[in-house]
Amino acid sequence: MAKARSPVTRNSCTVFFLIIAIWNNTQPSEETGSSAILSNHFLNKVPKNLPAETTVLDLSQNNISELQISDFSSILRLQVLNLSRNVIRELDFSVFQYNGNLEHLDLSHNRLQTLSCHAMLSLLRLDLTYNSYTDMPICSKTDMPKLQYLGLSAKRLQGSDLSALGHLQLDTLFLSLEDLSEYKAASITVFNIKTIQIVFHPRRDFHILTDLELSGTESLELFNIHDEQVSELRMFLLKLSRSGRLLNLTLNKMQSSWEDFIDVLQAAWGTTVEHLVISNAAWMDATNKNNFNHTKTSLKSLEIKDTVIVTIKADPQYMYRIFSEMNITALTISGAKLIHMLCPSKPSHFTYLCFSYNTLTDTVFENCNNLTLLETLILSGNQLTRLMKMSLMARHMKSLKHLDLSHNLLQHEVHEKRCQWGENLVELNLSSNVLSDSVFHCLPVNIQKLDLQNNQISSIPNMAVELRALQELNLASNRLTDLPGCGQFRSLRLLNTETNSIFTPTSQFYQTCQSIREVKAEHNPFMCSCEIREFIDIRKQGLVVLVGWPESYLCEYPEDIRGLQLQDFHVSELVCNTTLLVAVVLVITVVLAAIISFLCIYLDIPWYLKMMWQWTQVKHRIWKNNPEEVFDNMEFHAFISYSKHDSDWVKNVLIPNLEKEDGSIRICQHERNFIAGKSIVENIIDCIEKSYRSIFVLSPNFVQSEWCHYELYFAHHKLFQENNNSLILLLLEPIPPYIIPAKYYKLKALMAKRTYLEWPTEKSKQGLFWANLRAAIHIRLPENE
Ligand SMILES: *[C@@H]1O[C@H](CO)[C@@H](O)[C@H](O)[C@H]1NC(C)=O
Ligand SMILES: *[C@@H]1O[C@H](CO)[C@@H](O)[C@H](O)[C@H]1NC(C)=O
């Protein structure tokens, strides 16, 4: 459920509880609980009506001064309660008597003066530091049987108080003595607390360390160790050397001279301590007065962090020598402004060395043959410049597996001497340097994990060394414009190319990267076009995990879809696949051609088209010749000439169809309109002259038998002249060209030049034929007879 709220009205509360009721119903069995974060809410009191299932309640940084049983009696599932930084003055633990599940209670930074114990059977962590009580409030083990962590502070301390704490059998005791003003010395033996953290007064020394004796403690962390305490610390360590089980010692904020530090270190050398951490210290002028005795020690690792070691007057070699000759396995000196480190003078025990964030240069461990056991070397954040020199350094470290050279100024030039890395180097961190493409000519052959992020790499050169073992390659934050192929890295499983300049990943990647399992390519300026689909598809195949998909993969170009997730970018296969496009166009063309051929063959479309064309031609001609013009001397619309073999068709089909209905078309037929006393020829010529058009019914018969008869008449008339529109050729039967005798060249020319009307045998086409014919001879003749 959401945050709890302060009560507003009765109604809103009813609704609120109703919601809880519903919510509880829908979450039947699960013990989910909820958090109420009310930190920094200007509260004076613990709010009423907190959701009953609240398990975490943060009331820190408010103004709460009092606690009551009723404040918590309705939130029975409470586990974590933070009341830090309020103004509570007194506390009776019985206010929590109903909170049988309370595990963490933070009451630090209040004004507690008195405290009354009460059974807190489930409490694991209790923080009472930075309050106003003078004596340490200590409840008994029976009140808090499960307590693991206790934070206390005190103004007045008696040795016996600490001994009493021993009976609590804690895991961790945090003791803040920053405000201590009174200390009653007594021998203190602390039993059975695994980890003890003590913050001393920053200026005063109460000699607590002198009295302190540990039994069963494994880790001790001391804060604020100033000059006066150092000799005490040394005594304490010397005492430890004889007894105890202390394994880890941490010294925070240690102010001392270099000599004192060496004394402390020497004392620690003889103890049971295995891990020593010193942080936030400062030593100026390491002098060479002391001699450090590297005798046998339990110490395994020494860590010096954020500690400035500066030598101005003394010989720095002496200081380096103390560290380099240490017979321990792990040494860290980081953030210490070290400018150099010596090679051990004899084969050393070091397996782990970390000198990060110093100012070491390329000469570090040059020609150093004595780090033969070294497996991990961390030199990040220094002033290293030449990768080739680093390779020569690493070559001498026969066991070196992990090398971290990140955050330096490393470069490599192609023409430089050949790089020679050790055989065993499997992990190399070269991130945040100034390396360019040429780095691929200077890599250890057996490398498995390579970090090259944040460099200036734009591509992987083809001639680069083959890295058969490489499994993880990090090229994030470089200048890549394409996903690299895996030609040289057969075993690559993880590739990181986020935050580069990759527009369109090309297919080289998919072809060569067979073993790849995980790709990170977020935050690249992807160009959303056809080519990107292949990249999107690699996910679908399920072999490769794209880390950060889909929210971190966005189209950058084209601009109109900038910000669109790659996942939502779709483009059709047809648009992208030219072969497919061509195929589709071809198929459509073929189908269309087939349909057209089908129509042509079965429906004779060309015939219709031809007829329509002729019809429009005729209409056009009529319109051009002013159809209203009346031909005065014309009696007939048309004269028909035909072979006697075709006379049946002419008489029974042609004439009835032309003359039908209103008789608006008059035909001159030389037999029918015969004028006695004139010869046939004269009659025919007479007929032709009185007719506006002459229709010739052409057929093989006509051509062979009748043509010659007519040719003569036509010769007189201008029937054959070019632009004579009066001639209509009507093809009753097809005439094969060879039938036409050669001498009838005029007929041939006519048939070739003029379009003729073909008589269609199909009934369906005949309507159009007649319409066409009628249009061709349609003309207004004077009304006579
Ligand atoms: C309680 O709140 C303070 C201040 O907000 C915070 O520093 C502290 O870590 C919190 N304690 C726990 C146990 O969460
Ligand atoms: C390499 O070093 C950088 C910076 O020190 C770090 O963030 C990164 O995790 C390291 N890479 C590997 C593979 O450990």
Side-chain angles (χ1 to χ4, degrees), residues 357 380 404 406-407 427 429 431 449 451 453:
Y357 300 97
S380 63
D404 185 347
S406 60
H407 289 282
E427 202 180 316
N429 195 338
S431 67
K449 202 166 159 186
D451 193 338
Q453 67 174 306

Side-chain angles (χ1 to χ4, degrees), residues 546-562:
L546 273 184
V547 180
W549 183 270
E551 61 280 353
S552 304
Y553 294 78
L554 307 177
C555 298
E556 182 75 14
Y557 304 103
E559 300 217 345
D560 55 325
I561 55 167
R562 178 169 292 170

Side-chain angles (χ1 to χ4, degrees), residues 193-212:
I193 299 181
K194 284 213 186 95
T195 302
I196 299 179
Q197 300 164 325
I198 304 176
V199 184
F200 291 114
H201 194 288
R203 288 171 306 279
R204 294 177 62 185
D205 181 18
F206 292 96
H207 304 284
I208 295 166
L209 279 176
T210 317
D211 298 336
L212 190 64

Side-chain angles (χ1 to χ4, degrees), residues 111 174 206 392 472 484 540 642 674 726 759:
R111 297 183 187 163
F174 178 82
F206 292 96
L392 298 183
E472 290 180 33
K540 291 196 190 133
Y642 54 93
F674 197 79
S726 59
W759 169 245

Side-chain angles (χ1 to χ4, degrees), residues 357-372:
Y357 300 97
N358 286 294
T359 43
L360 300 175
T361 58
D362 291 352
T363 52
V364 70
F365 297 134
E366 199 170 23
N367 298 321
C368 180
N369 284 313
N370 287 331
L371 289 169
T372 45

Side-chain angles (χ1 to χ4, degrees), residues 606-755:
W607 185 87
Y608 282 103
L609 288 178
K610 209 164 87 188
M611 290 307 264
M612 292 305 287
W613 170 246
Q614 284 176 1
W615 193 75
T616 42
Q617 288 290 87
V618 167
K619 283 288 178 199
H620 178 69
R621 227 161 29 222
I622 290 168
W623 173 78
K624 236 174 52 188
N625 295 348
N626 188 0
E628 295 309 310
E629 199 183 323
V630 173
F631 291 81
D632 291 337
N633 53 347
M634 294 293 176
E635 273 179 42
F636 299 101
H637 285 94
F639 155 72
I640 300 175
S641 161
Y642 54 93
S643 153
K644 62 177 182 292
H645 294 288
D646 302 324
S647 64
D648 276 355
W649 182 78
V650 172
K651 284 177 194 157
N652 299 330
V653 179
L654 181 62
I655 295 177
N657 265 300
L658 281 181
E659 285 189 332
K660 71 172 177 192
E661 296 156 17
D662 50 355
S664 58
I665 291 179
R666 297 199 292 273
I667 303 289
C668 181
Q669 188 193 357
H670 67 270
E671 290 167 30
R672 194 171 67 180
N673 304 79
F674 197 79
I675 299 170
K678 282 191 181 176
S679 71
I680 293 176
V681 175
E682 276 173 327
N683 261 313
I684 288 174
I685 291 175
D686 192 46
C687 236
I688 291 174
E689 279 174 349
K690 285 180 185 160
S691 300
Y692 172 62
R693 301 262 195 237
S694 300
I695 300 173
F696 287 84
V697 180
L698 299 181
S699 68
N701 292 326
F702 182 86
V703 171
Q704 279 168 344
S705 59
E706 311 289 337
W707 179 255
C708 55
H709 297 305
Y710 293 103
E711 216 173 20
L712 185 61
Y713 325 141
F714 305 149
H716 299 293
H717 301 271
K718 294 172 183 171
L719 277 174
F720 297 135
Q721 277 170 12
E722 293 281 308
N723 286 324
N724 199 328
N725 285 335
S726 59
L727 192 63
I728 295 173
L729 299 180
L730 203 159
L731 195 64
L732 185 62
E733 284 173 42
I735 305 172
Y738 61 84
I739 284 187
I740 306 174
K743 55 183 178 179
Y744 299 159
Y745 62 91
K746 256 185 191 139
L747 177 66
K748 279 192 178 182
L750 266 175
M751 288 186 68
K753 207 182 289 168
R754 287 189 159 264
T755 46

Side-chain angles (χ1 to χ4, degrees), residues 484-490 507-515:
C486 303
Q488 293 111 340
F489 330 117
R490 297 292 157 77
S507 52
Q508 193 199 7
F509 172 77
Y510 322 106
Q511 286 155 10
T512 56
C513 297
Q514 302 293 335
S515 332

